[in-house]
């Protein structure tokens, strides 16, 4: 065991060196935590001896060092320009803002002269952030709660932007809109400025409970990303009229947990497979990559201490798997990624999905000099590697890291799901063990032989028991009527009576303002009491479940009187149609589920409270009307049913409709299922559920278990899932939470 462990560690270390290497590391004379470092495709820069600028040429075989002197106070921020020729560098301290021409400085040193820069600002305060304009003609300087826009040619202040209530932490020029600048602050808001007219164009609300630390502009999609001190990222669009709209929210810590769970599943599958020692060693170098989360000896350990992940720096780049997937026909060139630098590692996020594609944890690499970063700068100009300049949080080290993108992409492919993709349309026959492979008549045919006429006749052969008192036959009394069913149906109830009953259930203050009843107001008014509504497949009828315990069936044109169905003792939570539009399903708060004939007088099938642990929040016909599917509590049930409206003239109260429980399926880690959805237009094995734990879970009823879980799909519980039944190349479903935010999940379910 010890020998194999040593071999595993050697394989792991050799693989880690292929992913990330430390090119250089120096010891500074002062801590450089929380100071803006600079890194680009060719150079990286950091303060040396507080007042001097040290520049490294990262592409030279022998690391060339360039010393720039000119400041008399400690340097607090550094930034490179956007153009290659000339390559500009800006350094800021409380005394000066200096711009350096890198090529001119190198020529001065070769000629024996002291490099000199251009002073563009004097005594502006403590500068925390610098940023060049896209054309390198202007420089944004964040000092205290102000933003100074300086000219890069001479010492001139072009604009002073004031309005933030706390220290401004970052500001970026908008590449796709001239004269626009976006800034973030410790007041947890961002602002959009027109710096040519000193005008504030847009001000956001408070975005986070922690200060905003980083800002990144995405020129491909005309969006910008903000990062906070508690690991929250928000993506906003910036349109021509300066109307900002948030399109994506990412919780970095939760995405890291999802990524770790994905690796855990891969590790378990590998450990359970019977492979030889050589194949185990070849897989070990991939599976041992994220050691704090993938350690096979600690997979079932207890909860770990959670730390926040402050977003130190962000950098936009091409999609991580771009070089490996260019030959894939499904690959789109518009895909892009975002590199996020935090105190404990680098994270690569797919901006199209908001998911984490790869992580580089500093603590996984024991050979790195810095395990906890205080400042970070990321530079990239190619698809094969990125460079990251780090300063230690508690020490005085400065390290330059090189991340090899191709090797990291290969590792990510190892964690991808290699199982066969799910199919919404059934592509294989039902399994013999599938809950869908059942027949209601089979159970009736397989009843024990005791339920026969012979068994019934044996009861008649028993001796007669005589009683001293015999109850009167009742011939002398008037016959009494017995109500066998409580539900009543009024096929044609007038609109006036419907309005009166609806208004009678409302509070007096809510009833006062409802005066005129025309159809526009009716539609608007019913929204206050409608629990659920559903159209038929042909769009001719509309069934509406109401909070006043009734259901109405309208014509789709909303003309004429609706058909009223009453009988439930609670609000009707959901309604559903069969494919033939001849049957209706209602589920109520009274823990009952009834199936009604559209033109009948009473329910054909009634499932009572013994079937439900809690009221059903969702119910529908399923599998081309062969089953009833409904949720109750944290589980959903599958019932096989048979509907028959014929009656015996003697036993008119007895109906032949029946149902049988086929299976119960429990959703993971939730108290109650808020909604469920399944396709009934064709044979499908897939059922989607959403719970109070904010998660979406996918069940495959062919195998009878959960197959996919999407944790934290929304910030609040999902209350509706809408599926696209049309056979496109991919299958989409939408979910809506109580925040009225619609999220689209593109699943790899081939159709």
């Amino acid at each position: 065991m010890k020998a194999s462990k040593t071999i595993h560690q050697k394989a792991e270390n050799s693989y880690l060196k292929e992913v990330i290497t430390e090119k250089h590391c120096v010891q500074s004379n002062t801590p450089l935590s929380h100071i803006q470092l600079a890194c680009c495709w060719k150079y990286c820069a950091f303060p040396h001896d507080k007042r001097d600028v040290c520049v490294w040429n990262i592409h030279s075989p022998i690391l060339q060092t360039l010393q720039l002197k000119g400041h008399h106070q400690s340097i607090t921020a550094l930034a490179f320009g956007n153009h290659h020729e000339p390559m500009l560098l800006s350094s800021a301290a409380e005394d000066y803002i200096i711009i350096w021409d890198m090529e001119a400085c190198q020529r001065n040193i070769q000629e024996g002269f002291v490099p000199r820069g251009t002073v563009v600002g004097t005594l502006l305060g403590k500068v925390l952030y610098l940023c060049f304009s896209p054309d390198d003609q202007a420089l944004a300087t964040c000092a205290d709660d102000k933003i100074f826009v300086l000219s890069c040619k001479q010492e001139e202040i072009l604009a002073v932007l004031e309005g933030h209530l706390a220290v401004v932490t970052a500001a970026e020029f908008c590449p796709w809109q001239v004269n626009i600048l976006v800034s973030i602050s410790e007041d947890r808001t961002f602002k959009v400025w027109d710096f040519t007219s000193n005008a504030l164009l847009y001000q956001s609300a408070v975005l986070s409970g922690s200060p905003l630390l980083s800002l990144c502009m995405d020129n491909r999609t005309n969006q910008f990303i903000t990062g906070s001190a508690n690991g929250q990222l928000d993506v906003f669009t910036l349109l021509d009229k300066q109307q900002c709209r948030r399109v994506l929210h990412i919780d970095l810590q939760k995405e890291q947990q999802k990524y770790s769970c994905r690796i855990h599943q891969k590790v378990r599958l590998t450990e359970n497979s019977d492979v030889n020692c050589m194949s185990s060693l070849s897989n070990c170098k991939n599976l041992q990559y994220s050691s704090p989360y993938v350690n096979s000896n600690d997979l079932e350990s207890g909860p770990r201490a959670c730390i926040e992940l402050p977003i130190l720096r962000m950098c936009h780049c091409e999609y991580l798997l771009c070089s490996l997937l260019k030959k894939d026909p499904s690959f789109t060139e518009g895909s892009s990624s975002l590199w996020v630098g935090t105190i404990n590692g680098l994270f690569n996020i797919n901006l199209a999905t908001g998911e984490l594609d790869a992580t580089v944890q500093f603590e996984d690499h024991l050979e790195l000099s810095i395990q906890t970063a205080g400042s970070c700068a990321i530079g990239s100009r190619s698809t094969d590697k990125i460079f990251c300049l780090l300063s230690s949080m508690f020490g005085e080290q400065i390290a330059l890291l090189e991340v090899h993108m191709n090797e990291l992409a290969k590792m990510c492919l190892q964690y991808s799901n290699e199982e066969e993709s799910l199919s919404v349309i059934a592509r294989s026959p039902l399994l013999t063990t599938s809950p869908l492979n059942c027949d209601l008549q089979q159970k009736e045919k397989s009843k024990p032989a005791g339920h026969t006429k012979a068994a019934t006749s044996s009861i008649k052969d028993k001796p007669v028991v005589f009683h001293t008192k015999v109850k009167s036959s009742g011939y002398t009394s008037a016959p009494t009527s017995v109500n066998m069913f409580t539900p009543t149906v009024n096929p044609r109830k007038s609109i006036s009576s419907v309005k009166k009953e609806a208004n009678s259930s409302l509070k007096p203050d809510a009833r006062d303002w409802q005066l005129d009843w025309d159809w526009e107001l009716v539609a608007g008014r019913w929204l206050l009491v409608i629990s659920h509504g559903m159209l038929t497949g042909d769009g001719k009828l509309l069934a509406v479940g109401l909070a006043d315990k009734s259901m109405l069936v309208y014509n789709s044109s909303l003309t004429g009187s609706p058909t009223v169905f009453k009988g439930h003792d609670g609000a009707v939570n959901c309604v559903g149609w069969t494919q033939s539009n001849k049957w209706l399903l209602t589920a109520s708060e009274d823990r009952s589920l009834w199936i009604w004939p559209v033109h009948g007088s009473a329910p054909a099938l009634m499932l009572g409270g013994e079937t439900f642990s809690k009221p059903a929040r969702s119910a529908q016909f399923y599998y081309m009307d062969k089953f009833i599917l409904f949720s109750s509590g944290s589980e959903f049930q599958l019932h096989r049913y048979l509907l028959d409206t014929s009656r015996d003239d003697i036993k008119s109260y007895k109906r032949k409709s029946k149902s049988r429980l086929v299976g119960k399926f429990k959703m993971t880690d939730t108290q109650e299922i808020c909604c469920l959805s399944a396709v009934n237009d064709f044979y499908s094995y897939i059922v989607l559920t959403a719970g109070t734990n904010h998660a979406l879970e996918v069940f495959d009823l062919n195998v009878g278990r959960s197959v996919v879980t999407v944790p934290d799909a929304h910030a609040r519980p999902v209350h509706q899932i809408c599926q696209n039944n049309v056979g496109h190349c991919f299958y989409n479903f939408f979910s809506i939470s109580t925040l009225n935010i619609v999220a689209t999940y593109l699943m790899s379910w081939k159709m």
Side-chain angles (χ1 to χ4, degrees):
M1 294 296 295
K2 292 183 179 180
S4 62
K5 184 176 181 180
T6 303
I7 295 175
H8 285 199
Q9 290 176 349
K10 290 181 179 180
E12 174 187 353
N13 293 333
S14 62
Y15 180 72
L16 293 180
K17 291 180 180 179
E18 296 177 359
V19 174
I20 183 171
T21 56
E22 184 176 291
K23 296 200 64 169
H24 199 58
C25 181
V26 297
Q27 190 81 12
S28 177
N29 295 331
T30 180
L32 299 178
S33 179
H34 309 303
I35 292 178
Q36 182 189 7
L37 307 178
C39 186
C40 67
W41 66 280
K42 187 176 181 180
Y43 299 101
C44 64
F46 58 91
H48 183 66
D49 293 336
K50 294 184 179 181
R51 296 172 293 182
D52 300 338
V53 180
C54 181
V55 182
W56 287 343
N57 189 335
I58 58 182
H59 288 287
S60 62
I62 301 177
L63 197 64
Q64 297 179 359
T65 302
L66 180 64
Q67 296 286 341
L68 304 177
K69 299 179 181 291
H71 289 283
H72 301 290
Q73 295 188 20
S74 298
I75 298 174
T76 56
L78 294 163
F80 282 107
N82 299 297
H83 290 181
H84 295 177
E85 296 179 358
M87 174 62 69
L88 301 181
L89 171 66
S90 176
S91 60
E94 292 190 12
D95 52 0
Y96 303 120
I97 309 295
I98 303 177
I99 292 182
W100 312 83
D101 187 334
M102 299 306 302
E103 282 72 16
C105 291
Q106 288 181 346
R107 288 195 302 268
N108 291 336
I109 292 178
Q110 293 175 359
E111 295 173 359
F113 298 103
V114 177
R116 294 186 180 274
T118 303
V119 177
V120 296
T122 305
L123 301 177
L124 298 180
K126 186 176 181 180
V127 178
L128 296 181
Y129 196 85
L130 295 171
C131 175
F132 281 90
S133 62
D135 56 1
D136 287 348
Q137 298 298 313
L139 180 70
T141 303
C142 302
D144 298 327
D145 59 349
K146 301 182 181 63
I147 305 168
F148 298 93
V149 180
L150 309 177
S151 173
C152 294
K153 300 298 183 181
Q154 56 188 353
E155 189 173 356
E156 179 184 1
I157 298 178
L158 302 178
V160 179
L161 307 177
E162 299 181 81
H164 280 291
L165 303 179
V167 175
V168 180
T169 54
E172 293 284 344
F173 290 93
C174 181
W176 58 92
Q177 292 193 48
V178 183
N179 305 331
I180 299 300
L181 182 140
V182 181
S183 62
I184 60 173
S185 169
E186 290 184 356
D187 62 9
R188 300 166 293 167
T189 66
F190 72 84
K191 297 181 185 294
V192 180
W193 310 84
D194 184 348
F195 62 88
T196 58
S197 59
N198 286 17
L200 176 62
L201 303 178
Y202 182 86
Q203 177 178 345
S204 74
V206 175
L207 300 180
S208 173
S210 299
L212 301 181
L213 299 182
S214 57
L215 181 65
C216 180
M217 310 300 288
D218 186 356
N219 194 20
R220 293 187 177 183
T221 58
N222 294 353
Q223 298 174 347
F224 65 90
I225 305 104
T226 63
S228 65
N230 59 351
Q232 307 296 313
L233 292 97
D234 293 291
V235 182
F236 295 88
T237 58
L238 183 57
L239 305 179
D240 295 336
K241 296 182 179 180
Q242 284 73 48
Q243 295 297 322
C244 300
R245 181 172 58 91
R246 182 167 67 178
V247 295
L248 184 62
H249 175 77
I250 302 172
D251 189 327
L252 193 57
Q253 189 172 11
K254 291 182 179 179
E255 292 301 326
Q256 185 183 20
Q257 293 174 357
K258 296 178 188 177
Y259 181 76
S260 302
C261 292
R262 201 159 67 236
I263 301 177
H264 281 176
Q265 294 176 357
K266 186 69 176 180
V267 172
R268 291 190 179 98
L269 291 175
T270 304
E271 289 182 347
N272 293 335
S273 61
D274 185 14
V275 296
N276 55 38
C277 181
M278 293 303 296
S279 61
S280 298
L281 290 178
S282 63
N283 292 332
C284 175
K285 63 183 181 180
N286 297 337
L287 299 175
Q288 295 292 331
Y289 179 68
S290 297
S291 59
Y293 308 98
V294 193
N295 188 356
S296 59
N297 297 326
D298 198 26
L299 285 177
E300 305 297 334
S301 61
R304 296 177 176 270
C306 296
I307 60 174
E308 292 187 346
L309 301 174
I311 311 300
L312 302 179
R313 187 64 67 88
M314 294 182 292
C315 178
H316 183 268
C317 64
E318 290 191 6
Y319 182 44
L320 178 63
L321 305 180
C322 178
S323 59
L324 299 180
L325 298 180
K326 282 186 176 180
K327 298 181 180 180
D328 191 346
S330 62
F331 173 71
T332 58
E333 292 292 340
S335 302
S336 61
S337 297
L338 181 72
W339 277 106
V340 178
T342 66
I343 61 174
N344 63 351
L346 299 174
F347 299 84
N348 186 272
I349 297 178
N350 188 343
L351 290 177
T353 61
E355 295 181 348
L356 196 62
D357 283 340
T359 64
V360 178
Q361 301 287 334
F362 298 148
E363 61 182 4
D364 292 343
H365 306 266
L366 301 179
E367 73 279 2
L368 297 183
S369 303
I370 298 177
Q371 300 295 318
T372 304
S375 295
C376 173
I378 304 173
S380 173
R381 282 291 184 181
S382 61
T383 59
D384 58 341
K385 63 181 64 175
I386 66 166
F387 297 95
C388 181
L389 185 65
L390 301 177
S391 66
S392 177
M393 172 72 78
F394 308 107
E396 299 177 352
Q397 295 90 358
I398 296 290
L400 177 63
L401 306 182
E402 182 180 8
V403 180
H404 302 275
M405 302 281 283
N406 291 336
E407 298 298 330
L408 187 62
K410 292 178 183 178
M411 185 201 69
C412 295
L413 291 178
Q414 297 293 331
Y415 297 147
S416 61
N417 188 10
E418 298 177 357
E419 298 179 355
E420 184 180 359
S421 59
L422 296 175
S423 175
V424 177
I425 298 179
R427 297 184 301 180
S428 59
L430 278 174
L431 301 175
T432 56
T433 57
S434 172
L436 302 176
N437 193 10
C438 69
D439 190 356
L440 190 62
Q441 301 296 336
Q442 291 179 356
K443 187 176 181 180
E444 301 297 329
K445 294 178 181 179
S446 61
K447 285 185 177 180
H451 295 277
T452 59
K453 288 186 177 181
T456 306
S457 62
S458 63
I459 300 176
K460 296 180 180 180
D461 294 338
K462 292 183 179 180
V464 179
V465 179
F466 293 93
H467 297 276
T468 58
K469 294 182 179 181
V470 180
K471 189 176 180 180
S472 173
S473 61
Y475 289 125
T476 60
S477 60
T480 58
S481 60
V482 179
N483 294 329
M484 303 303 298
F485 295 96
T486 57
T488 58
V489 177
N490 182 5
R492 291 297 175 187
K493 195 168 185 178
S494 64
I495 291 295
S496 59
S497 61
V498 175
K499 292 187 296 182
K500 184 180 297 184
E501 291 185 6
N503 280 335
S504 63
S505 63
L506 299 177
K507 296 180 180 179
D509 56 348
R511 187 169 59 244
D512 292 339
W513 58 268
Q514 182 60 32
L515 301 177
D516 298 327
W517 277 81
D518 53 29
W519 276 112
E520 292 184 359
L521 291 179
V522 168
R525 184 56 178 159
W526 282 122
L527 290 178
L528 298 177
V529 293
I530 286 178
S531 299
H532 189 264
M534 187 176 182
L535 280 167
T536 56
D538 55 10
K540 294 182 178 180
L541 296 176
L542 171 65
V544 177
L546 302 181
D548 66 351
K549 310 175 186 179
S550 65
M551 177 183 62
L552 305 180
V553 177
Y554 291 93
N555 293 324
S556 58
S557 60
L558 298 182
T559 58
S561 301
T563 304
V564 183
F565 296 80
K566 299 189 66 176
H568 281 292
D569 292 331
V572 178
N573 290 333
C574 49
V575 298
W577 291 94
T578 57
Q579 290 288 321
S580 61
N581 304 330
K582 295 180 180 180
W583 299 93
L584 271 166
L585 174 150
T586 59
S588 171
E589 281 288 333
D590 60 3
R591 298 187 183 183
S592 66
L593 185 147
W594 295 354
I595 297 181
W596 309 73
V598 176
H599 302 293
S601 59
L605 179 64
M606 303 170 64
L607 298 181
E610 68 278 358
T611 308
F612 300 84
S613 59
K614 290 184 178 181
R617 300 301 175 193
S618 298
Q620 68 169 82
F621 292 99
Y622 174 59
Y623 208 69
M624 295 291 288
D625 296 338
K626 290 187 176 181
F627 296 92
I628 307 172
L629 195 66
F630 61 88
S631 64
S632 178
S634 62
E635 65 183 13
F636 69 90
Q637 300 183 22
L638 184 69
H639 283 247
R640 191 78 162 89
Y641 69 97
L642 176 64
L643 300 178
D644 190 355
T645 56
S646 61
R647 294 188 180 186
D648 192 331
D649 293 337
I650 299 177
K651 299 180 179 180
S652 60
Y653 62 88
K654 186 176 181 181
R655 293 186 177 274
K656 298 181 180 180
S657 300
K658 51 192 171 183
S659 69
R660 179 168 66 91
L661 175 66
V662 176
K664 295 183 179 181
F665 306 89
K666 187 176 179 61
M667 190 174 176
T668 308
D669 298 331
T670 188
Q671 295 182 352
E672 187 173 4
I673 294 178
C674 302
C675 58
L676 62 83
S677 177
V679 176
N680 191 36
D681 298 337
F682 48 82
Y683 292 112
S684 175
Y685 306 148
I686 302 300
V687 176
L688 306 176
T689 61
T692 54
N693 60 344
H694 308 177
L696 293 169
E697 195 162 353
V698 183
F699 289 83
D700 185 354
L701 295 193
N702 191 23
V703 295
R705 60 180 176 85
S706 172
V707 290
V708 176
T709 301
V710 182
D712 298 309
H714 288 271
R716 294 184 183 179
V718 177
H719 61 72
Q720 186 175 0
I721 304 175
C722 300
Q723 299 190 59
N724 179 9
N725 298 341
V726 182
H728 293 294
C729 296
F730 290 92
Y731 181 73
N732 297 272
F733 69 90
F734 300 86
S735 61
I736 306 176
S737 73
T738 53
L739 288 175
N740 293 329
I741 298 176
V742 180
T744 305
Y745 296 89
L746 178 62
M747 309 298 290
S748 59
W749 302 343
K750 305 293 184 180
M751 296 189 66

